[in-house]
């Protein structure tokens, strides 16, 4: 039964990754998306750190009051997963759970450099592919992931 739930979640996340693709992505877009995540986190009275990297450059970073330098470590590790696999960190966690294998052993990577916890999501451009990553840290992995999905969905619905 557990594998069926994981499979369903994987299918949902895969659809999110396929649908949440940008026509273009500017630094100004990163600012707008980052600020929208901050506003949403304030509404639910939670503290998060947000990081957006585009073409290897950090174009947005903000740590709300109540976060710590630990969030920066989580951001770096979750981002590494997305940049390596071009899938969200939550997708990679569930994918490896479904396969019943250790991510770290299978991909020969260190837990000092990679974290397969939800909260990092690829920034993809139509016809180009993944050009960056957005990462949220501070909530549960599911909530971190959902904050990004909500922000991307809202932004893309507004601009299309």
């Amino acid at each position: 039964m557990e594998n069926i739930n994981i499979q369903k979640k994987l299918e949902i996340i895969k659809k999110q990754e396929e649908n949440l693709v940008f026509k273009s992505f500017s630094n100004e877009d990163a600012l707008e998306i980052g600020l929208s995540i901050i506003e949403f986190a304030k509404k639910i009275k939670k503290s998060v750190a947000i990081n957006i990297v585009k073409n290897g450059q950090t174009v947005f970073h903000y740590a709300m009051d109540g976060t710590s330098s630990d969030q920066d470590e989580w951001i770096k590790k979750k981002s590494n997963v997305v940049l390596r696999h071009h899938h969200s960190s939550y997708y990679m966690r569930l994918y490896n759970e479904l396969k019943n294998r250790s991510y770290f052993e299978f991909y020969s990577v260190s837990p000092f450099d990679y974290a397969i916890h939800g909260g990092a999501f690829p920034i993809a451009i139509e016809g180009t592919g993944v050009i960056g990553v957005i990462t949220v840290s501070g909530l549960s992995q599911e909530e971190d992931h959902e904050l990004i999905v909500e922000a991307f969905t809202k932004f893309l619905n507004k601009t299309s």
Side-chain angles (χ1 to χ4, degrees):
M1 187 65 168
E2 181 63 26
N3 279 355
I4 293 171
N5 290 337
I6 292 173
Q7 185 65 47
K8 283 182 182 175
K9 284 183 185 177
L10 272 173
E11 289 168 14
I12 290 167
I13 295 167
K14 188 142 176 70
K15 278 197 179 14
Q16 291 169 342
E17 291 178 3
E18 290 167 358
N19 293 331
L20 299 174
V21 175
F22 296 81
K23 288 181 177 41
S24 64
F25 190 85
S26 68
N27 294 5
E28 194 66 31
D29 296 337
L31 176 63
E32 187 176 329
I33 290 167
L35 291 174
S36 75
I37 291 172
I38 292 167
E39 286 309 309
F40 186 76
K42 284 179 180 177
K43 280 183 191 163
I44 61 171
K45 297 181 178 10
K46 302 282 185 166
S47 295
V48 296
I50 304 140
N51 194 75
I52 302 175
V53 174
K54 177 184 135 195
N55 297 324
Q57 179 186 23
T58 299
V59 294
F60 184 91
H61 183 89
Y62 185 74
M64 297 174 73
D65 289 331
T67 60
S68 72
S69 59
D70 278 354
Q71 266 78 43
D72 291 340
E73 286 301 310
W74 281 104
I75 284 169
K76 183 180 74 172
K77 293 175 182 184
K78 293 192 286 187
S79 294
N80 284 344
V81 171
V82 173
L83 294 172
R84 179 171 179 160
H85 302 284
H86 294 187
H87 280 291
S88 71
S89 53
Y90 195 34
Y91 178 91
M92 291 306 297
R93 178 188 188 91
L94 294 172
Y95 180 76
N96 283 280
E97 275 182 28
L98 188 65
K99 298 272 187 197
N100 200 24
R101 67 183 183 203
S102 162
Y103 172 83
F104 305 104
E105 288 177 21
F106 188 81
Y107 292 103
S108 298
V109 296
S110 168
F112 294 108
D113 297 318
Y114 293 82
I116 52 167
H117 297 277
F121 200 93
I123 299 169
I125 306 291
E126 281 178 24
T128 300
V130 175
I131 56 106
V133 59
I134 179 171
T135 310
V136 172
S137 179
L139 308 176
S140 73
Q141 63 178 338
E142 293 88 357
E143 291 172 310
D144 284 346
H145 178 86
E146 283 305 314
L147 271 180
I148 296 167
V149 169
E150 287 178 29
F152 275 16
T153 301
K154 180 180 164 190
F155 181 86
L156 289 167
N157 285 341
K158 186 190 79 160
T159 58
S160 50

